[in-house]
């Protein structure tokens, strides 16, 4: 199971593999480590600002080695909310990296190609389980399916 150290080491490895246009979808209950992972990943990508959860603002934008959009769909309740957010615009960003927390709320609007990162609680309180799954033709050759 993944200690914070192991999961942050994976975030570092991932930071070298990511490129503009990539979409990362994060799932998992509150407190399982989605924002913590994004904070580590952002740091490895060179974000200087403090990365916080965009739960109430919905979108944060950071400048790193590549522009980074960090969305949190926690407050999304219906399809309309996703349209209000212009969610589909984020799936067309070819010049940036897009990270979305609570991506299960996308339902039918889930894109065809993305890297899925699913977090869950482990037996030990100081560990988490992270399942990495590339989805779609453009992601499966680039990323390995793995569980940390
Ligand atoms: N890999 C990890 N191992 C142990 N604790 C973690 C890990 N990732 C996050 N935590 C702890 O869990 C708590 C919630 O993390 P957070 O990233 O805010 O979760 P989420 O964004 O999924 O709601 C924080 O106190 C954080 O320090
Ligand atoms: Mg969070």
């Amino acid at each position: 199971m993944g200690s914070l150290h192991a999961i942050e080491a994976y975030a570092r490895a991932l930071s070298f593999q990511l490129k503009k246009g990539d979409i990362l979808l994060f799932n998992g209950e509150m407190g399982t480590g989605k924002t913590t992972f994004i904070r580590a990943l952002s740091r490895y990508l060179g974000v200087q600002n403090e990365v916080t959860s965009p739960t109430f603002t919905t979108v944060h934008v950071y400048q790193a080695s590549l522009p980074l959009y960090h969305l949190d769909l926690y407050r999304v309740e219906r399809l309309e909310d996703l349209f209000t957010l212009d969610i589909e615009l984020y799936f067309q960003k070819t010049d940036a990296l897009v990270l979305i927390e609570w991506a299960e709320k996308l339902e039918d609007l889930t894109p065809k190609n993305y890297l899925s990162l699913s977090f869950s609680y482990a037996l030990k309180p100081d560990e988490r389980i992270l399942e990495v799954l590339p989805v779609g033709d453009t992601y499966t050759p680039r990323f390995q399916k793995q569980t940390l």
Side-chain angles (χ1 to χ4, degrees), residues 3-4 7 29-36 101 126-128:
S3 63
L4 187 57
I7 287 180
E29 279 177 67
M30 182 82 78
T32 49
K34 302 179 295 296
T35 302
T36 300
E101 292 191 50
D126 59 346
E127 293 186 352
R128 299 290 187 271

Side-chain angles (χ1 to χ4, degrees), residues 22-134:
D22 282 345
I23 299 168
L24 272 53
L25 300 187
F26 293 81
N27 289 306
E29 279 177 67
M30 182 82 78
T32 49
K34 302 179 295 296
T35 302
T36 300
F37 185 92
I38 290 171
R39 187 175 294 133
L41 179 66
S42 304
R43 195 170 64 235
Y44 293 125
L45 289 169
V47 173
Q48 304 282 333
N49 314 55
E50 174 72 9
V51 172
T52 53
S53 184
T55 307
F56 297 102
T57 49
T58 316
V59 186
H60 285 171
V61 186
Y62 296 104
Q63 192 57 49
S65 51
L66 65 183
L68 207 149
Y69 291 89
H70 178 192
L71 288 83
D72 188 327
L73 305 182
Y74 180 65
R75 299 211 308 170
V76 166
E77 283 171 5
R78 54 184 77 85
L79 194 61
E80 270 165 61
D81 298 340
L82 292 170
F83 290 125
T84 305
L85 248 171
D86 271 332
I87 192 74
E88 281 161 309
L89 278 184
Y90 295 96
F91 300 145
Q92 294 158 19
K93 299 252 180 233
T94 51
D95 62 332
L97 185 64
V98 178
L99 313 171
I100 306 182
E101 292 191 50
W102 290 95
E104 56 261 66
K105 301 226 183 174
L106 290 169
E107 297 186 358
D108 291 349
L109 296 182
T110 304
K112 288 195 171 60
N113 295 280
Y114 59 93
L115 186 68
S116 168
L117 295 119
S118 296
F119 289 79
S120 48
Y121 287 110
L123 283 176
K124 293 188 188 167
D126 59 346
E127 293 186 352
R128 299 290 187 271
I129 300 163
L130 167 57
E131 293 179 83
V132 182
L133 180 70

Side-chain angles (χ1 to χ4, degrees), residues 112-114 134-143:
K112 288 195 171 60
N113 295 280
Y114 59 93
V135 177
D137 292 347
T138 55
Y139 287 75
T140 44
R142 291 177 53 212
F143 299 96

